[in-house]
Amino acid sequence: MAVRLSDHFTYKKLFRAVTPSILMMVFTSLYTIVDGVFISNLVGKVPFAGLNLIYPVIGAIGAVGFMLGAGGSALVAKILGESDSARANKVFSMVVYFTAIVGIILSVVGALVVEPVAKLLGATEELLPHCVTYGRILLAAIVAFMLQNMFQAFFIVAEKPLLGFLISVIAGVTNMVLDAAFVAGAKLGLAGAAYATITSQMVGAIIPLIYFSVKNKSPLRLVLTKFELKPIVRTCTNGSSEFLSNVSISIVNMLYNMQLLRYVGEDGLAAYGVVQYLAFVFLATFFGYSIGSAPIISYHFGAQNTSELKNLLKKSLIIMIGIGAVMTALCEGLARPLSMIFVSYDRALLDMTTLAMRIFGVSFILSGISIFSSSFFTALNNGLVSAIISFMRTLVFQIFAIMVMPLLFGLNGIWTAVIVAEGLSLIVSIICIILNKKKYKY
């Protein structure tokens, strides 16, 4: 029996609703990791370090897709909750078209600035060609990356989360097969991995475009519509926290890379790259849950069903705490075998990566509530509070910690910085939930 946005959600029904989104995010993170595994083991740790140095720039540019997806889906779900399906389709279509146009513009600009930006980030003569090669190929298809991320959110609103997951699987398998063909088979090196990635992103963007363009069994369909500034501004405002979060993560990753280059050189970049790949898998559960539950929250907010809002918030906070404890335990137990997948060929690098992963893993028990809280306020169409939580978590506290902790503890201070930042952001998230309780009656 299908789960509908208007349902009352028990734990069982809530997990049924969000599981496709969680699986989608976990699978997406897994196939992203494949690039790193192939490059590190078959191309070398220097190209792998170059990839990790430039990828935050690509992530910052692609963050526009996350913003439009999160903000647009919250707005469209709210309109559906108000029983105005025609208006919902117009706003949905407007967001899709706007994303495509912005993506094309960013693709051109990004390709022009990737080399000077890589130099600004500290790329050495050895790292620079790898940064430019990988960056320009991925930026050429940034519109597909943005659309793929945006549609992940809209499949939940369309009550087709399983279809969204299946499309992610198809895109992921495409990436894995082409990684093997281009990197291991054709020996195309870093460029081969980049071609595999953009092909998979095109698959993840084109299939949803076709689905929503023809008659389908979901509440959403692409229609002809005129451009309106107000819904776009509302979408950007709603999704500002997701934009800030992704841009901030990219900025912080750049700072980590610069600090690691200063303390331990290119090995530090490689180790941090492995930690980020593995952390992406663990955090994908939190992000998947937040993406999957947000349209449900938006719907009941639009329907003014405050009792269900209270139910969803309570259950979600309990689930975030439980998942966080499991993630930390898994990370502590699997840090070395997971690190060996990437860097087993270098004992010193393996030891550094394992230690980094075990320290970093403590942060998972703290991060779930903050990630959900930011998404929760986006779903309530309160972009300001959501942005405050996201801005403090992903930028302010992270920058403070990454600049101060190494001064106190050296290299281990770099790995510990995320724990300090997540602890402070947890406090801010709890305060925001308490302060807004009366306003939203949850």
Side-chain angles (χ1 to χ4, degrees), residues 67-289:
M67 174 184 71
L68 295 171
S73 63
L75 179 58
V76 171
K78 179 177 179 292
I79 294 171
L80 285 174
E82 295 167 350
S83 301
D84 191 349
S85 59
R87 179 64 179 164
N89 279 316
K90 288 182 179 180
V91 173
F92 164 62
S93 302
M94 202 183 309
V95 172
V96 173
Y97 304 148
F98 182 74
T99 302
I101 294 169
V102 171
I104 293 170
I105 295 171
L106 291 176
S107 178
V108 175
V109 174
L112 294 174
V113 303
V114 65
E115 183 171 352
V117 168
K119 291 179 180 177
L120 185 65
L121 294 176
T124 62
E125 289 186 8
E126 191 176 14
L127 288 174
L128 185 60
H130 301 297
C131 294
V132 173
T133 296
Y134 193 79
R136 282 184 174 159
I137 294 173
L138 260 67
L139 287 168
I142 199 71
V143 64
F145 178 57
M146 290 169 56
L147 286 172
Q148 181 184 31
N149 292 329
M150 184 202 64
F151 280 126
Q152 287 179 351
F154 276 114
F155 271 119
I156 313 300
V157 181
E159 298 178 339
K160 297 292 180 181
L162 183 58
L163 179 59
F165 169 63
L166 291 176
I167 292 172
S168 292
V169 171
I170 294 170
V173 171
T174 300
N175 190 35
M176 294 175 186
V177 171
L178 293 182
D179 265 327
F182 294 162
V183 181
K187 308 296 182 185
L188 295 178
L190 192 61
Y195 290 132
T197 297
I198 65 171
T199 303
S200 70
Q201 290 169 351
M202 289 176 184
V203 169
I206 292 172
I207 295 177
L209 274 173
I210 295 172
Y211 176 79
F212 286 116
S213 296
V214 300
K215 187 176 181 180
N216 61 70
K217 295 182 179 180
S218 82
L220 297 182
R221 186 177 176 185
L222 289 171
V223 297
L224 293 176
T225 183
K226 64 180 181 179
F227 179 82
E228 297 176 42
L229 183 60
K230 187 175 179 180
I232 295 298
V233 171
R234 185 73 178 274
T235 291
C236 293
T237 303
N238 285 347
S240 60
S241 64
E242 280 68 24
F243 177 74
L244 284 173
S245 177
N246 283 279
V247 171
S248 298
I249 288 170
S250 296
I251 293 172
V252 168
N253 285 344
M254 294 174 199
L255 288 176
Y256 268 95
N257 288 335
M258 293 169 71
Q259 288 282 61
L260 287 164
L261 278 172
R262 176 185 173 191
Y263 278 86
V264 286
E266 292 171 359
D267 277 6
L269 286 182
Y272 184 60
V274 175
V275 170
Q276 286 299 290
Y277 275 122
L278 296 176
F280 187 24
V281 177
F282 286 96
L283 292 174
T285 305
F286 297 129
F287 286 113
Y289 181 92

Side-chain angles (χ1 to χ4, degrees), residues 155-435:
F155 271 119
I156 313 300
V157 181
E159 298 178 339
K160 297 292 180 181
L162 183 58
L163 179 59
F165 169 63
L166 291 176
I167 292 172
S168 292
V169 171
I170 294 170
V173 171
T174 300
N175 190 35
M176 294 175 186
V177 171
L178 293 182
D179 265 327
F182 294 162
V183 181
K187 308 296 182 185
L188 295 178
L190 192 61
Y195 290 132
T197 297
I198 65 171
T199 303
S200 70
Q201 290 169 351
M202 289 176 184
V203 169
I206 292 172
I207 295 177
L209 274 173
I210 295 172
Y211 176 79
F212 286 116
S213 296
V214 300
K215 187 176 181 180
N216 61 70
K217 295 182 179 180
S218 82
L220 297 182
R221 186 177 176 185
L222 289 171
V223 297
L224 293 176
T225 183
K226 64 180 181 179
F227 179 82
E228 297 176 42
L229 183 60
K230 187 175 179 180
I232 295 298
V233 171
R234 185 73 178 274
T235 291
C236 293
T237 303
N238 285 347
S240 60
S241 64
E242 280 68 24
F243 177 74
L244 284 173
S245 177
N246 283 279
V247 171
S248 298
I249 288 170
S250 296
I251 293 172
V252 168
N253 285 344
M254 294 174 199
L255 288 176
Y256 268 95
N257 288 335
M258 293 169 71
Q259 288 282 61
L260 287 164
L261 278 172
R262 176 185 173 191
Y263 278 86
V264 286
E266 292 171 359
D267 277 6
L269 286 182
Y272 184 60
V274 175
V275 170
Q276 286 299 290
Y277 275 122
L278 296 176
F280 187 24
V281 177
F282 286 96
L283 292 174
T285 305
F286 297 129
F287 286 113
Y289 181 92
S290 298
I291 290 171
S293 61
I296 300 170
I297 294 166
S298 294
Y299 183 94
H300 286 284
F301 171 61
Q304 299 183 14
N305 189 350
T306 55
S307 63
E308 190 61 24
L309 282 181
K310 183 182 297 185
N311 171 58
L312 289 165
L313 176 61
K314 178 182 176 181
K315 285 181 168 60
S316 295
L317 293 178
I318 292 172
I319 290 170
M320 289 297 98
I321 293 171
I323 291 175
V326 172
M327 294 297 103
T328 294
L330 287 173
C331 187
E332 297 305 313
L334 299 175
R336 191 167 187 85
L338 290 175
S339 298
M340 288 180 69
I341 297 173
F342 291 86
V343 292
S344 59
Y345 54 83
D346 188 319
R347 179 62 181 271
L349 181 55
L350 175 61
D351 290 341
M352 181 193 299
T353 305
T354 302
L355 177 61
M357 194 65 205
R358 283 178 175 154
I359 296 174
F360 200 96
V362 176
S363 68
F364 297 144
I365 201 168
L366 304 170
S367 58
I369 288 178
S370 297
I371 292 171
F372 170 76
S373 297
S374 179
S375 174
F376 179 68
F377 285 105
T378 296
L380 294 176
N381 283 249
N382 191 331
L384 177 61
V385 174
S386 178
I388 289 171
I389 295 173
S390 179
F391 183 70
M392 299 302 288
R393 173 182 174 263
T394 58
L395 189 64
V396 176
F397 294 145
Q398 289 275 8
I399 290 178
F400 166 77
I402 192 57
M403 300 308 292
V404 173
M405 296 302 289
L407 298 177
L408 301 175
F409 303 106
L411 177 60
N412 285 343
I414 297 178
W415 309 131
T416 309
V418 67
I419 301 174
V420 175
E422 291 291 5
L424 293 171
S425 66
L426 175 61
I427 295 171
V428 170
S429 299
I430 293 172
I431 291 173
C432 287
I433 290 173
I434 293 172
L435 291 179

